[in-house]
Amino acid sequence: MKKHLHTKNSPAAIGPYSQAVLVDNLVFLSGQIPLNNKGKMVEGTVEQQAQQIFTNIEAILVEAGGTLNDLVKLTVFLTSLDDFEVINKIMMLRLTRPYPARSCVEVSALPKGSSVEVEAIARISLHTKLHT
């Protein structure tokens, strides 16, 4: 089973891609930058931007019938690895143990001048009713 996911509670894709794709019980989320659900960039600290990103990820997972607890892998892109501890702090606030696997890399630039982007993979229960 393959299904493209979309929720109005997370920003629309800004290119030719889906917010997420569900394949069997795996949810592959596109990279999230700190846009609110109206597509406006969240200004402020990297911490505030990361909070918005996890809010977006959570909204997409809810649409798939899951939660942040279903995350199994995160890839974090930062324009400065000086913000590594900020990401750790947000993950400890928003996620529960056992934490998902994670990679974190520094990049030269991100879409719309963002300082942080996070892509994710989650595994949801096959018995969960999907929203339509």
Side-chain angles (χ1 to χ4, degrees):
M1 171 178 81
K2 178 179 172 183
K3 179 179 179 179
H4 295 267
L5 301 174
H6 175 78
T7 175
K8 66 181 187 308
N9 296 321
S10 191
I14 57 174
Y17 57 89
S18 299
Q19 286 176 331
V21 176
L22 175 71
V23 179
D24 298 323
N25 64 332
L26 295 176
V27 183
F28 298 88
L29 289 88
S30 293
Q32 294 294 307
I33 59 173
L35 295 172
N36 65 22
N37 63 344
K38 304 218 182 320
K40 182 174 172 20
M41 185 68 103
V42 170
E43 302 295 332
T45 65
V46 171
E47 184 173 348
Q48 291 166 316
Q49 292 181 5
Q51 285 282 12
Q52 180 64 52
I53 287 169
F54 278 94
T55 296
N56 295 345
I57 290 170
E58 184 172 35
I60 294 167
L61 290 174
V62 166
E63 182 68 20
T67 72
L68 289 174
N69 292 331
D70 296 314
L71 289 169
V72 295
K73 174 68 167 85
L74 297 173
T75 305
V76 179
F77 304 94
L78 295 169
T79 56
S80 173
L81 279 178
D82 291 342
D83 296 320
F84 184 81
E85 289 305 321
V86 172
I87 297 303
N88 286 341
K89 177 183 175 185
I90 298 303
M91 285 183 64
M92 287 188 291
L93 288 171
R94 301 292 297 262
L95 306 177
T96 58
R97 291 180 185 256
Y99 299 120
R102 179 187 78 187
S103 300
C104 185
V105 295
E106 183 177 83
V107 296
S108 62
L110 290 167
K112 297 196 173 274
S114 175
S115 298
V116 59
E117 180 174 2
V118 180
E119 67 179 26
I121 301 170
R123 182 180 178 274
I124 60 171
S125 170
L126 289 175
H127 304 291
T128 303
K129 181 182 175 196
L130 292 175
H131 301 262
T132 55

